[in-house]
Amino acid sequence: MLQRITCVDHIKIDSVSFSSIFQIGDSEQILAVSRALAVQREAEIFFDNEGNFDAFPVFSEAIPFQPPDEEIIFSTHNLNPVLKVRNIDILGASSSSIVHLGNSRNIAMEARVKHIRQLLPRNNNSGEEGI
Amino acid sequence: MNFQVYNRDICVGDIRVIGVSSSSLLMVGDAETIQLAATFDTPAESLIVGPFVPLSPDIS
């Protein structure tokens, strides 16, 4: 069957960072994984060589995936084999993300993020409610 | 299930996106399979109040 082609007149991306990809043209298989420890501290303090993904289950737990339980007979008819876009404007692509112009076959992408907030000790005599 | 798709004219004017992040995908084209997964952990479960101690070191 005739594949569709992508026609983009103009595209502008300001930044592509942290293992992100801007792909022009077809691809076959994409596997993208992003892991992040997002630590915020109340004071400006940074320790070198800290953070171990193995210490947090969010980075190792299985993400359940439900495969289709029914056979799907799938057919596409590309009556107009051109996907046309006049203009694309993207500020940023980050953390194993992909901007893709063209066709692909199998795409699998995964993101795991752990947010940690560290606050200074509070005085509890003020009667203030905790966060 | 019998699933039939008729792709007629697709003509888009402007796409304006602020950010594509954390294993996200912006695609102009066709794909056979797309599988996306994400886990996310955020306070209150991971709120630490007290003296600043480093996280366990990176041993890898």
Side-chain angles (χ1 to χ4, degrees):
Chain A
M1 190 191 293
L2 191 65
Q3 267 200 106
R4 286 201 290 182
I5 60 160
T6 303
C7 173
V8 178
D9 292 340
H10 182 264
I11 182 163
K12 175 174 165 272
I13 305 178
D14 287 14
S15 93
V16 177
S17 62
F18 298 122
S19 302
S20 297
I21 293 169
F22 174 34
Q23 163 89 13
I24 303 172
D26 295 355
S27 64
E28 180 74 23
Q29 225 175 69
I30 296 172
L31 176 66
V33 179
S34 162
R35 296 188 298 175
L37 266 171
V39 182
Q40 286 180 289
R41 295 198 167 98
E42 200 174 358
E44 289 174 33
I45 184 164
F46 174 76
F47 303 100
D48 195 9
N49 192 41
E50 69 169 325
N52 179 16
F53 288 132
D54 296 338
F56 305 101
V58 70
F59 296 108
S60 55
E61 69 188 4
I63 303 175
F65 180 72
Q66 181 78 54
D69 54 359
E70 179 181 5
E71 197 194 342
I72 299 168
I73 302 153
F74 183 78
S75 68
T76 51
H77 310 270
N78 297 320
L79 305 176
N80 182 352
V82 180
L83 269 165
K84 203 172 153 25
V85 180
R86 190 177 58 209
N87 182 51
I88 301 175
D89 188 337
I90 300 167
L91 227 58
S94 174
S95 309
S96 308
S97 58
I98 292 166
V99 178
H100 198 297
L101 308 181
N103 302 322
S104 187
R105 202 170 303 276
N106 303 116
I107 303 173
M109 310 187 64
E110 186 184 288
R112 293 168 185 266
V113 182
K114 166 99 179 156
H115 283 252
I116 296 170
R117 258 156 241 178
Q118 287 194 345
L119 303 180
L120 292 163
R122 308 274 132 156
N123 290 326
N124 283 333
N125 52 15
S126 61
E128 211 176 284
E129 280 288 312
I131 298 167
Chain B
M1 183 169 66
N2 200 347
F3 188 56
Q4 283 195 40
V5 179
Y6 291 88
N7 289 318
R8 297 174 198 278
D9 298 2
I10 294 181
C11 189
V12 178
D14 284 275
I15 299 174
R16 199 174 143 261
V17 173
I18 300 287
V20 187
S21 77
S22 299
S23 302
S24 301
L25 171 71
L26 189 147
M27 185 170 185
V28 184
D30 298 316
E32 214 162 86
T33 67
I34 298 177
Q35 194 185 118
L36 304 173
T39 60
F40 192 87
D41 190 7
T42 192
E45 286 78 5
S46 52
L47 185 71
I48 304 163
V49 180
F52 291 146
V53 285
L55 304 175
S56 52
D58 183 10
I59 48 167
S60 58

